[in-house]
Coordinates of all heavy atoms in Angstrom, one line a residue:
M1237 N 21.5 10.7 18.6 CA 20.5 11.4 17.8 C 21.2 11.9 16.5 O 22.2 12.6 16.6 CB 20.0 12.6 18.6 CG 18.9 13.4 17.9 SD 18.2 14.8 18.8 CE 17.9 14.1 20.4
V1238 N 20.6 11.6 15.4 CA 21.2 12.1 14.1 C 20.5 13.3 13.7 O 19.3 13.5 13.8 CB 21.0 10.9 13.1 CG1 21.6 11.4 11.7 CG2 21.7 9.7 13.5
R1239 N 21.3 14.2 13.1 CA 20.7 15.5 12.7 C 21.0 15.7 11.2 O 21.9 15.1 10.6 CB 21.4 16.7 13.4 CG 21.0 16.7 14.9 CD 21.2 18.1 15.5 NE 20.7 18.1 16.8 CZ 19.5 18.6 17.1 NH1 18.7 18.9 16.2 NH2 19.1 18.6 18.4
C1240 N 20.1 16.5 10.5 CA 20.2 16.7 9.1 C 21.5 17.5 8.8 O 21.9 18.4 9.5 CB 19.0 17.5 8.6 SG 19.1 18.0 6.9
N1241 N 22.2 17.1 7.7 CA 23.5 17.8 7.4 C 23.2 19.2 6.8 O 24.1 20.0 7.0 CB 24.2 17.0 6.3 CG 24.5 15.6 6.7 OD1 24.7 15.3 7.9 ND2 24.7 14.7 5.8
R1242 N 22.1 19.4 6.3 CA 21.8 20.8 5.6 C 21.2 21.8 6.6 O 21.7 22.9 6.7 CB 20.9 20.6 4.4 CG 21.6 19.9 3.3 CD 20.7 19.9 2.1 NE 21.2 19.0 1.0 CZ 20.6 18.8 -0.1 NH1 19.4 19.3 -0.3 NH2 21.2 18.0 -1.0
C1243 N 20.1 21.4 7.3 CA 19.4 22.3 8.1 C 19.5 22.1 9.6 O 19.1 23.0 10.4 CB 17.9 22.4 7.7 SG 17.0 20.9 8.2
G1244 N 20.1 21.0 10.0 CA 20.3 20.7 11.5 C 19.1 20.2 12.2 O 19.2 20.0 13.4
S1245 N 18.0 19.9 11.5 CA 16.9 19.3 12.2 C 17.2 17.9 12.6 O 18.0 17.2 12.0 CB 15.7 19.3 11.3 OG 15.3 20.6 10.9
I1246 N 16.4 17.4 13.5 CA 16.5 16.0 13.9 C 16.1 15.1 12.8 O 15.0 15.4 12.1 CB 15.6 15.7 15.2 CG1 16.2 16.5 16.4 CG2 15.6 14.2 15.5 CD1 15.3 16.4 17.6
A1247 N 16.8 14.1 12.5 CA 16.5 13.2 11.4 C 15.6 12.1 11.8 O 15.6 11.7 13.0 CB 17.8 12.6 10.8
V1248 N 14.7 11.6 10.9 CA 13.8 10.5 11.2 C 14.2 9.3 10.4 O 14.8 9.5 9.3 CB 12.3 10.9 11.0 CG1 11.9 12.0 11.9 CG2 12.1 11.4 9.5
I1249 N 13.7 8.2 10.8 CA 14.0 6.9 10.1 C 12.9 6.6 9.1 O 11.7 6.6 9.6 CB 14.3 5.7 11.0 CG1 15.5 6.0 11.8 CG2 14.5 4.5 10.2 CD1 15.8 5.0 12.9
K1250 N 13.1 6.4 7.9 CA 12.1 6.0 6.9 C 12.6 4.8 6.2 O 13.8 4.4 6.3 CB 11.9 7.1 5.9 CG 11.2 8.4 6.5 CD 10.8 9.3 5.5 CE 10.1 10.5 6.2 NZ 9.6 11.5 5.2
T1251 N 11.8 4.2 5.4 CA 12.1 3.0 4.6 C 12.1 3.2 3.1 O 11.1 3.8 2.6 CB 11.1 1.8 5.0 OG1 11.1 1.6 6.4 CG2 11.6 0.5 4.3
S1252 N 13.1 2.8 2.5 CA 13.2 2.9 1.0 C 12.5 1.7 0.4 O 12.7 0.6 0.8 CB 14.7 2.9 0.6 OG 14.8 2.8 -0.8
W1253 N 11.8 2.0 -0.7 CA 11.2 0.9 -1.5 C 11.6 1.0 -2.9 O 10.9 0.6 -3.8 CB 9.6 0.9 -1.3 CG 9.2 0.6 0.1 CD1 8.7 1.4 1.0 CD2 9.4 -0.7 0.7 NE1 8.5 0.8 2.2 CE2 8.9 -0.5 2.0 CE3 9.9 -1.9 0.3 CZ2 9.0 -1.6 3.0 CZ3 9.9 -2.9 1.2 CH2 9.5 -2.8 2.5
T1254 N 12.8 1.6 -3.2 CA 13.3 1.6 -4.6 C 13.8 0.2 -4.9 O 14.2 -0.6 -4.1 CB 14.4 2.6 -4.7 OG1 15.5 2.2 -3.8 CG2 13.9 4.0 -4.3
P1255 N 13.9 -0.1 -6.2 CA 14.4 -1.4 -6.7 C 15.8 -1.6 -6.2 O 16.2 -2.8 -6.0 CB 14.3 -1.3 -8.2 CG 13.3 -0.3 -8.5 CD 13.4 0.7 -7.4
T1256 N 16.7 -0.6 -6.0 CA 18.0 -0.8 -5.6 C 18.2 -0.9 -4.1 O 19.2 -1.5 -3.7 CB 18.9 0.3 -6.1 OG1 18.4 1.6 -5.7 CG2 19.0 0.3 -7.6
N1257 N 17.3 -0.4 -3.3 CA 17.4 -0.5 -1.9 C 16.0 -0.9 -1.2 O 15.5 -0.2 -0.4 CB 17.8 0.9 -1.3 CG 19.2 1.2 -1.6 OD1 20.1 0.4 -1.3 ND2 19.4 2.3 -2.4
P1258 N 15.4 -2.0 -1.6 CA 14.1 -2.3 -1.1 C 14.1 -2.7 0.4 O 14.9 -3.5 0.8 CB 13.7 -3.5 -2.0 CG 15.0 -4.1 -2.4 CD 15.9 -3.0 -2.5
G1259 N 13.3 -2.0 1.1 CA 13.2 -2.3 2.6 C 14.3 -1.8 3.4 O 14.4 -2.1 4.6
R1260 N 15.2 -1.1 2.8 CA 16.4 -0.6 3.6 C 16.0 0.8 4.3 O 15.4 1.7 3.6 CB 17.6 -0.3 2.6 CG 18.9 -0.1 3.3 CD 20.0 0.0 2.3 NE 21.2 0.3 3.0 CZ 22.3 0.8 2.4 NH1 22.3 0.9 1.1 NH2 23.4 1.1 3.1
R1261 N 16.3 0.9 5.5 CA 16.0 2.1 6.3 C 17.1 3.1 6.2 O 18.2 2.8 6.1 CB 15.7 1.7 7.7 CG 14.5 0.8 7.9 CD 14.2 0.4 9.3 NE 15.3 -0.5 9.7 CZ 15.5 -1.0 10.9 NH1 14.6 -0.7 11.9 NH2 16.5 -1.7 11.3
F1262 N 16.6 4.4 6.3 CA 17.6 5.5 6.2 C 17.1 6.7 7.0 O 15.9 6.8 7.4 CB 17.7 5.9 4.7 CG 16.5 6.4 4.1 CD1 16.1 7.8 4.1 CD2 15.6 5.6 3.5 CE1 15.0 8.2 3.5 CE2 14.4 6.0 2.9 CZ 14.1 7.3 2.9
Y1263 N 18.1 7.5 7.4 CA 17.8 8.8 8.1 C 17.5 9.8 7.0 O 18.2 9.9 6.0 CB 18.9 9.2 8.9 CG 19.2 8.4 10.1 CD1 20.3 7.5 10.1 CD2 18.4 8.4 11.3 CE1 20.6 6.7 11.2 CE2 18.7 7.6 12.4 CZ 19.8 6.8 12.4 OH 20.1 6.0 13.4
C1264 N 16.5 10.6 7.3 CA 16.2 11.8 6.4 C 15.7 12.9 7.3 O 15.3 12.8 8.4 CB 15.3 11.5 5.3 SG 13.6 11.2 5.8
C1265 N 15.7 14.1 6.7 CA 15.3 15.3 7.4 C 13.9 15.2 7.8 O 13.0 14.7 7.1 CB 15.6 16.5 6.5 SG 15.2 18.1 7.3
S1266 N 13.6 15.7 9.1 CA 12.2 15.6 9.5 C 11.3 16.7 9.0 O 10.1 16.6 9.0 CB 12.2 15.7 11.1 OG 12.7 16.9 11.5
K1267 N 11.9 17.8 8.4 CA 11.1 18.9 7.8 C 10.7 18.5 6.4 O 11.6 18.3 5.6 CB 12.0 20.1 7.8 CG 12.2 20.7 9.2 CD 13.0 22.0 9.0 CE 13.2 22.7 10.4 NZ 14.0 23.9 10.2
R1268 N 9.4 18.4 6.2 CA 8.9 18.0 4.9 C 9.2 19.1 3.9 O 9.4 18.9 2.7 CB 7.4 17.7 4.9 CG 7.2 16.4 5.7 CD 5.7 16.2 5.8 NE 5.4 15.1 6.7 CZ 4.7 14.0 6.4 NH1 4.1 14.0 5.2 NH2 4.5 13.1 7.2
V1269 N 9.1 20.3 4.3 CA 9.2 21.5 3.4 C 10.7 21.6 3.0 O 11.0 22.0 1.8 CB 8.8 22.8 4.1 CG1 8.9 24.0 3.2 CG2 7.3 22.6 4.6
A1270 N 11.6 21.3 3.8 CA 13.1 21.5 3.5 C 13.5 20.6 2.4 O 14.3 21.0 1.6 CB 13.9 21.3 4.8
N1271 N 13.0 19.3 2.3 CA 13.4 18.4 1.3 C 14.9 18.2 1.2 O 15.5 18.3 0.1 CB 12.8 18.8 0.0 CG 12.8 17.6 -1.0 OD1 13.0 16.4 -0.6 ND2 12.6 17.9 -2.3
C1272 N 15.5 18.0 2.3 CA 17.0 17.9 2.4 C 17.5 16.5 1.9 O 18.6 16.3 1.5 CB 17.5 18.1 3.8 SG 17.2 19.7 4.4
G1273 N 16.6 15.5 1.8 CA 16.9 14.2 1.3 C 17.5 13.3 2.4 O 17.4 13.5 3.6
I1274 N 18.2 12.3 1.9 CA 18.8 11.3 2.8 C 20.0 11.9 3.5 O 20.9 12.5 2.9 CB 19.3 10.0 2.0 CG1 18.0 9.3 1.4 CG2 20.1 9.1 2.8 CD1 18.4 8.1 0.5
V1275 N 20.0 11.7 4.8 CA 21.1 12.1 5.7 C 22.2 11.0 5.7 O 23.3 11.2 5.5 CB 20.6 12.5 7.1 CG1 21.8 12.8 8.0 CG2 19.7 13.6 7.0
D1276 N 21.7 9.8 6.0 CA 22.6 8.7 6.2 C 21.8 7.4 6.2 O 20.6 7.4 6.5 CB 23.4 8.8 7.4 CG 24.7 7.8 7.5 OD1 25.0 7.3 6.4 OD2 25.3 7.7 8.5
W1277 N 22.4 6.3 5.9 CA 21.8 5.0 5.9 C 21.7 4.5 7.3 O 22.7 4.6 8.1 CB 22.5 4.0 5.0 CG 22.3 4.3 3.6 CD1 23.2 4.8 2.7 CD2 21.1 4.1 2.8 NE1 22.6 4.9 1.5 CE2 21.3 4.5 1.5 CE3 19.8 3.6 3.1 CZ2 20.4 4.4 0.5 CZ3 18.9 3.5 2.1 CH2 19.2 3.9 0.8
Y1278 N 20.6 3.9 7.8 CA 20.4 3.3 9.1 C 20.8 1.8 9.0 O 21.5 1.3 9.9 CB 19.0 3.4 9.5 CG 18.7 2.8 10.9 CD1 19.0 3.5 12.0 CD2 18.1 1.6 11.0 CE1 18.7 3.0 13.3 CE2 17.8 1.0 12.2 CZ 18.1 1.7 13.4 OH 17.8 1.1 14.6
D1279 N 20.4 1.1 8.0 CA 20.8 -0.3 7.8 C 22.0 -0.4 6.9 O 22.3 0.4 6.0 CB 19.6 -1.0 7.1 CG 18.4 -1.1 8.0 OD1 18.5 -1.1 9.2 OD2 17.3 -1.2 7.4
P1280 N 22.7 -1.5 7.1 CA 23.8 -1.8 6.2 C 23.3 -2.2 4.8 O 22.1 -2.6 4.6 CB 24.5 -3.0 6.8 CG 23.5 -3.7 7.7 CD 22.6 -2.6 8.1
P1281 N 24.1 -2.2 3.7 CA 23.6 -2.5 2.4 C 23.1 -4.0 2.4 O 23.6 -4.8 3.1 CB 24.9 -2.4 1.5 CG 25.8 -1.5 2.3 CD 25.5 -1.7 3.7
M1282 N 22.1 -4.2 1.5 CA 21.6 -5.5 1.4 C 22.4 -6.4 0.5 O 23.1 -5.9 -0.4 CB 20.1 -5.5 0.9 CG 19.2 -4.7 1.8 SD 17.6 -4.5 1.1 CE 16.9 -6.1 1.6
C1283 N 22.3 -7.7 0.7 CA 23.1 -8.6 -0.2 C 22.5 -8.6 -1.6 O 21.3 -8.2 -1.8 CB 23.1 -10.0 0.3 SG 21.6 -10.9 0.3
D1284 N 23.2 -8.9 -2.6 CA 22.8 -8.9 -4.0 C 21.5 -9.7 -4.2 O 20.6 -9.3 -5.0 CB 23.9 -9.3 -5.0 CG 25.0 -8.3 -5.0 OD1 24.8 -7.2 -4.7 OD2 26.1 -8.8 -5.4
R1285 N 21.5 -10.9 -3.6 CA 20.3 -11.8 -3.8 C 19.0 -11.1 -3.3 O 18.0 -11.2 -3.9 CB 20.6 -13.1 -3.1 CG 19.5 -14.1 -3.3 CD 19.5 -14.6 -4.7 NE 18.5 -15.7 -4.8 CZ 17.8 -15.9 -5.9 NH1 17.9 -15.2 -6.9 NH2 16.9 -16.9 -5.9
S1286 N 19.1 -10.5 -2.1 CA 17.9 -9.8 -1.6 C 17.4 -8.7 -2.5 O 16.3 -8.5 -2.7 CB 18.2 -9.2 -0.2 OG 18.5 -10.2 0.7
V1287 N 18.4 -7.9 -3.1 CA 18.0 -6.9 -4.0 C 17.4 -7.4 -5.3 O 16.5 -6.8 -5.9 CB 19.3 -6.0 -4.4 CG1 19.0 -5.0 -5.5 CG2 19.8 -5.3 -3.2
Q1288 N 17.7 -8.7 -5.7 CA 17.1 -9.3 -6.8 C 15.7 -9.8 -6.5 O 14.8 -9.7 -7.3 CB 17.9 -10.5 -7.3 CG 19.2 -10.1 -8.0 CD 20.1 -11.3 -8.3 OE1 19.7 -12.4 -8.0 NE2 21.2 -11.0 -9.0
I1289 N 15.5 -10.4 -5.3 CA 14.3 -11.1 -4.9 C 13.2 -10.1 -4.4 O 12.0 -10.3 -4.8 CB 14.5 -12.2 -3.9 CG1 15.3 -13.3 -4.5 CG2 13.2 -12.7 -3.3 CD1 15.8 -14.3 -3.5
I1290 N 13.5 -9.2 -3.6 CA 12.5 -8.3 -2.9 C 11.6 -7.6 -3.9 O 10.4 -7.5 -3.8 CB 13.1 -7.4 -1.9 CG1 13.6 -8.3 -0.7 CG2 12.2 -6.4 -1.4 CD1 14.4 -7.6 0.4
P1291 N 12.2 -6.9 -5.0 CA 11.3 -6.2 -5.9 C 10.2 -7.1 -6.5 O 9.1 -6.7 -6.7 CB 12.2 -5.6 -6.9 CG 13.5 -5.5 -6.2 CD 13.6 -6.7 -5.3
G1292 N 10.6 -8.3 -6.9 CA 9.6 -9.3 -7.4 C 8.5 -9.6 -6.4 O 7.4 -9.7 -6.8
L1293 N 8.9 -9.8 -5.2 CA 7.9 -10.1 -4.1 C 7.0 -8.9 -3.9 O 5.8 -9.1 -3.8 CB 8.6 -10.5 -2.8 CG 9.4 -11.8 -2.8 CD1 10.2 -11.9 -1.5 CD2 8.5 -13.0 -3.0
L1294 N 7.6 -7.7 -4.0 CA 6.7 -6.5 -3.8 C 5.7 -6.4 -5.0 O 4.6 -6.0 -4.7 CB 7.6 -5.3 -3.7 CG 8.4 -5.1 -2.4 CD1 9.4 -3.9 -2.5 CD2 7.5 -5.0 -1.2
N1295 N 6.2 -6.7 -6.2 CA 5.3 -6.6 -7.3 C 4.2 -7.6 -7.2 O 3.0 -7.3 -7.5 CB 6.1 -6.8 -8.6 CG 7.0 -5.6 -9.0 OD1 6.8 -4.5 -8.5 ND2 8.0 -5.9 -9.7
S1296 N 4.5 -8.8 -6.8 CA 3.5 -9.9 -6.6 C 2.5 -9.4 -5.5 O 1.3 -9.6 -5.7 CB 4.2 -11.2 -6.2 OG 5.0 -11.7 -7.2
M1297 N 3.0 -8.9 -4.4 CA 2.1 -8.5 -3.3 C 1.2 -7.4 -3.8 O 0.0 -7.4 -3.6 CB 2.9 -8.0 -2.2 CG 2.1 -7.6 -1.0 SD 3.1 -6.9 0.4 CE 3.5 -5.3 -0.3
N1298 N 1.7 -6.4 -4.5 CA 0.9 -5.3 -5.1 C -0.2 -5.8 -6.0 O -1.3 -5.4 -6.0 CB 1.8 -4.2 -5.7 CG 2.6 -3.5 -4.7 OD1 2.3 -3.4 -3.5 ND2 3.7 -2.9 -5.2
R1299 N 0.2 -6.8 -6.9 CA -0.8 -7.3 -7.8 C -1.9 -8.1 -7.1 O -3.0 -7.9 -7.4 CB 0.0 -8.3 -8.8 CG -1.0 -8.9 -9.8 CD -0.2 -9.9 -10.7 NE 0.6 -10.8 -10.0 CZ 0.2 -12.0 -9.4 NH1 -1.1 -12.2 -9.5 NH2 1.0 -12.8 -8.8
L1300 N -1.5 -8.9 -6.1 CA -2.5 -9.6 -5.3 C -3.4 -8.7 -4.5 O -4.6 -8.9 -4.4 CB -1.8 -10.6 -4.4 CG -1.1 -11.8 -5.1 CD1 -0.3 -12.6 -4.1 CD2 -2.1 -12.7 -5.7
Q1301 N -2.8 -7.6 -4.0 CA -3.7 -6.7 -3.3 C -4.7 -6.0 -4.2 O -5.8 -5.7 -3.8 CB -2.8 -5.6 -2.6 CG -2.1 -6.1 -1.3 CD -1.2 -5.1 -0.7 OE1 -0.8 -4.1 -1.3 NE2 -0.9 -5.3 0.6
G1302 N -4.2 -5.7 -5.4 CA -5.1 -5.1 -6.4 C -6.2 -6.0 -6.8 O -7.4 -5.6 -6.9
E1303 N -5.9 -7.3 -7.0 CA -6.9 -8.3 -7.3 C -7.9 -8.5 -6.2 O -9.1 -8.6 -6.4 CB -6.3 -9.6 -7.6 CG -5.5 -9.6 -8.9 CD -4.7 -10.9 -9.2 OE1 -4.9 -11.9 -8.4 OE2 -4.0 -11.0 -10.2
A1304 N -7.4 -8.5 -4.9 CA -8.3 -8.6 -3.8 C -9.3 -7.4 -3.7 O -10.4 -7.6 -3.4 CB -7.5 -8.7 -2.5
L1305 N -8.8 -6.2 -4.0 CA -9.6 -5.0 -3.9 C -10.7 -5.1 -5.0 O -11.8 -4.7 -4.8 CB -8.7 -3.8 -4.1 CG -9.4 -2.4 -4.0 CD1 -10.1 -2.2 -2.7 CD2 -8.5 -1.3 -4.3
E1306 N -10.3 -5.6 -6.2 CA -11.3 -5.7 -7.3 C -12.4 -6.7 -6.9 O -13.5 -6.5 -7.1 CB -10.6 -6.2 -8.6 CG -9.8 -5.2 -9.3 CD -9.0 -5.7 -10.5 OE1 -9.4 -6.8 -11.0 OE2 -8.0 -5.1 -10.9
K1307 N -12.0 -7.8 -6.3 CA -12.9 -8.8 -5.8 C -13.9 -8.3 -4.8 O -15.1 -8.5 -4.8 CB -12.2 -10.1 -5.3 CG -11.5 -10.8 -6.4 CD -12.4 -11.5 -7.4 CE -11.6 -12.3 -8.4 NZ -12.4 -12.8 -9.5
A1308 N -13.3 -7.5 -3.8 CA -14.2 -6.9 -2.8 C -15.2 -5.9 -3.4 O -16.3 -5.9 -3.0 CB -13.3 -6.2 -1.8
N1309 N -14.7 -5.1 -4.4 CA -15.6 -4.2 -5.0 C -16.7 -4.9 -5.8 O -17.9 -4.5 -5.8 CB -14.9 -3.2 -6.0 CG -14.0 -2.2 -5.2 OD1 -14.3 -1.9 -4.0 ND2 -13.0 -1.7 -5.8
E1310 N -16.3 -6.0 -6.5 CA -17.3 -6.9 -7.2 C -18.3 -7.5 -6.2 O -19.5 -7.5 -6.5 CB -16.6 -8.0 -7.9 CG -17.5 -8.8 -8.8 CD -16.7 -9.9 -9.5 OE1 -15.4 -9.8 -9.6 OE2 -17.3 -10.9 -9.9
A1311 N -17.9 -7.9 -5.1 CA -18.8 -8.5 -4.1 C -19.8 -7.4 -3.6 O -21.0 -7.7 -3.4 CB -18.0 -9.1 -2.9
K1312 N -19.3 -6.2 -3.4 CA -20.2 -5.1 -3.0 C -21.3 -4.8 -4.0 O -22.5 -4.7 -3.7 CB -19.4 -3.8 -2.7 CG -18.6 -3.9 -1.4 CD -17.9 -2.6 -1.2 CE -17.0 -2.6 0.0 NZ -16.2 -1.4 0.1
R1313 N -20.8 -4.8 -5.3 CA -21.8 -4.6 -6.4 C -22.8 -5.7 -6.5 O -24.0 -5.4 -6.6 CB -21.1 -4.5 -7.7 CG -20.4 -3.1 -8.0 CD -20.0 -3.0 -9.5 NE -19.2 -4.1 -9.9 CZ -17.8 -4.2 -9.8 NH1 -17.2 -3.2 -9.2 NH2 -17.2 -5.2 -10.2
N1314 N -22.4 -6.9 -6.3 CA -23.3 -8.1 -6.4 C -24.3 -8.0 -5.2 O -25.4 -8.4 -5.4 CB -22.5 -9.4 -6.4 CG -21.8 -9.6 -7.7 OD1 -22.1 -9.0 -8.7 ND2 -20.8 -10.5 -7.6
K1315 N -23.8 -7.6 -4.0 CA -24.7 -7.5 -2.9 C -25.8 -6.5 -3.1 O -26.9 -6.7 -2.8 CB -23.9 -7.2 -1.6 CG -24.7 -7.1 -0.4 CD -23.8 -6.9 0.8 CE -24.6 -6.8 2.1 NZ -23.8 -6.5 3.3
K1316 N -25.4 -5.3 -3.7 CA -26.4 -4.3 -4.0 C -27.4 -4.8 -5.0 O -28.6 -4.6 -4.8 CB -25.7 -3.0 -4.6 CG -24.9 -2.3 -3.5 CD -24.2 -1.1 -4.2 CE -23.3 -0.4 -3.2 NZ -22.6 0.7 -3.8
W1317 N -27.0 -5.5 -6.0 CA -27.9 -6.0 -7.0 C -28.8 -7.0 -6.4 O -30.0 -7.1 -6.8 CB -27.2 -6.5 -8.3 CG -26.7 -5.4 -9.2 CD1 -25.5 -5.1 -9.4 CD2 -27.6 -4.6 -9.9 NE1 -25.5 -4.0 -10.3 CE2 -26.7 -3.7 -10.6 CE3 -29.0 -4.4 -10.1 CZ2 -27.2 -2.7 -11.5 CZ3 -29.4 -3.4 -10.9 CH2 -28.6 -2.6 -11.6
L1318 N -28.3 -7.9 -5.5 CA -29.1 -8.9 -4.9 C -30.2 -8.2 -4.0 O -31.4 -8.6 -4.1 CB -28.2 -9.8 -4.0 CG -28.9 -10.9 -3.3 CD1 -29.6 -11.9 -4.4 CD2 -27.9 -11.7 -2.5
I1319 N -29.8 -7.2 -3.3 CA -30.8 -6.5 -2.4 C -31.9 -5.9 -3.3 O -33.1 -5.9 -3.0 CB -30.1 -5.5 -1.5 CG1 -29.3 -6.2 -0.5 CG2 -31.1 -4.6 -0.9 CD1 -28.4 -5.3 0.3
I1320 N -31.5 -5.2 -4.4 CA -32.4 -4.6 -5.3 C -33.4 -5.6 -5.9 O -34.6 -5.4 -5.9 CB -31.7 -3.8 -6.4 CG1 -31.0 -2.6 -5.8 CG2 -32.7 -3.4 -7.5 CD1 -30.1 -1.9 -6.7
S1321 N -32.8 -6.8 -6.2 CA -33.7 -7.8 -6.8 C -34.7 -8.4 -5.8 O -35.8 -8.7 -6.1 CB -32.9 -9.0 -7.4 OG -32.2 -9.7 -6.4
W1322 N -34.3 -8.5 -4.5 CA -35.2 -8.9 -3.5 C -36.3 -7.9 -3.3 O -37.5 -8.3 -3.1 CB -34.4 -9.1 -2.2 CG -33.6 -10.3 -2.1 CD1 -33.6 -11.4 -2.9 CD2 -32.5 -10.6 -1.1 NE1 -32.6 -12.3 -2.6 CE2 -32.0 -11.8 -1.4 CE3 -32.1 -9.9 0.0 CZ2 -30.9 -12.4 -0.7 CZ3 -31.0 -10.4 0.7 CH2 -30.5 -11.7 0.4
I1323 N -35.9 -6.6 -3.3 CA -37.0 -5.6 -3.1 C -38.0 -5.6 -4.2 O -39.2 -5.6 -4.0 CB -36.3 -4.2 -3.0 CG1 -35.5 -4.1 -1.6 CG2 -37.3 -3.1 -3.0 CD1 -34.6 -2.9 -1.5
L1324 N -37.5 -5.7 -5.5 CA -38.4 -5.8 -6.6 C -39.2 -7.0 -6.6 O -40.4 -7.0 -6.9 CB -37.5 -5.7 -7.9 CG -36.8 -4.4 -8.2 CD1 -36.0 -4.5 -9.4 CD2 -37.9 -3.3 -8.3
F1325 N -38.7 -8.2 -6.2 CA -39.5 -9.4 -6.1 C -40.5 -9.2 -5.0 O -41.7 -9.6 -5.2 CB -38.6 -10.6 -5.8 CG -39.3 -11.9 -5.7 CD1 -39.8 -12.4 -6.9 CD2 -39.4 -12.5 -4.5 CE1 -40.5 -13.7 -6.8 CE2 -40.1 -13.7 -4.4 CZ -40.7 -14.3 -5.6
F1326 N -40.2 -8.7 -3.9 CA -41.2 -8.5 -2.8 C -42.3 -7.5 -3.3 O -43.5 -7.8 -3.0 CB -40.5 -7.9 -1.6 CG -41.4 -7.6 -0.4 CD1 -41.9 -8.6 0.3 CD2 -41.8 -6.3 -0.1 CE1 -42.8 -8.4 1.4 CE2 -42.6 -6.1 0.9 CZ -43.1 -7.1 1.7
L1327 N -41.9 -6.4 -4.0 CA -42.9 -5.5 -4.5 C -43.8 -6.2 -5.5 O -45.0 -6.0 -5.5 CB -42.3 -4.3 -5.1 CG -41.6 -3.3 -4.1 CD1 -40.9 -2.2 -4.9 CD2 -42.7 -2.7 -3.2
Y1328 N -43.3 -7.1 -6.3 CA -44.0 -7.8 -7.3 C -45.1 -8.7 -6.6 O -46.2 -8.8 -7.0 CB -43.1 -8.7 -8.2 CG -43.8 -9.6 -9.1 CD1 -44.4 -9.2 -10.2 CD2 -43.8 -11.0 -8.8 CE1 -45.1 -10.1 -11.0 CE2 -44.5 -11.9 -9.6 CZ -45.1 -11.4 -10.7 OH -45.8 -12.3 -11.5
L1329 N -44.6 -9.4 -5.5 CA -45.6 -10.3 -4.8 C -46.7 -9.5 -4.1 O -47.8 -9.9 -4.0 CB -44.8 -11.1 -3.8 CG -43.9 -12.2 -4.3 CD1 -43.1 -12.9 -3.2 CD2 -44.7 -13.2 -5.1
V1330 N -46.3 -8.3 -3.5 CA -47.3 -7.5 -2.8 C -48.3 -6.9 -3.7 O -49.5 -6.9 -3.5 CB -46.6 -6.5 -2.0 CG1 -47.5 -5.5 -1.4 CG2 -45.7 -7.1 -0.9
L1331 N -47.8 -6.4 -4.9 CA -48.7 -5.7 -5.8 C -49.5 -6.6 -6.7 O -50.4 -6.2 -7.4 CB -47.9 -4.7 -6.6 CG -47.2 -3.6 -5.8 CD1 -46.4 -2.7 -6.7 CD2 -48.3 -2.8 -5.1
K1332 N -49.2 -7.9 -6.7 CA -49.9 -8.8 -7.6 C -51.2 -9.2 -7.2 O -52.0 -9.1 -6.4 CB -49.0 -10.1 -7.7 CG -49.6 -11.0 -8.7 CD -48.6 -12.2 -8.8 CE -49.2 -13.2 -9.9 NZ -48.5 -14.4 -10.0

C-alpha cells in the first residue's frame, strides 16, 4: 500500500494524459482537497516512440468523437423536423 508523502493518506492510481506521459499510470493522494500531487509512478517510463505516437492517436480519437457527436445532434434535429413536417402534412389533409 502506497501512502502520500505529504499528508500520509492512502494513494490511488490515476492515468496521465499529458503529451509527455500519455497513458502512464501514477500514484497520487486520495484527498482531492489536499492536492498533494504525484506520489510516485506506477508504470515504468514509456519508450520514445510511444510518446510520439500516442498523442496523435488521442487527438484523432477526440476529433472523431467530436464529429460523431455532431452527426448525432444533426440526426436528432432532422428527426424533429421530419416529425413536425408529418404533423403539418396530416393537419393539412384533415383540414382540407
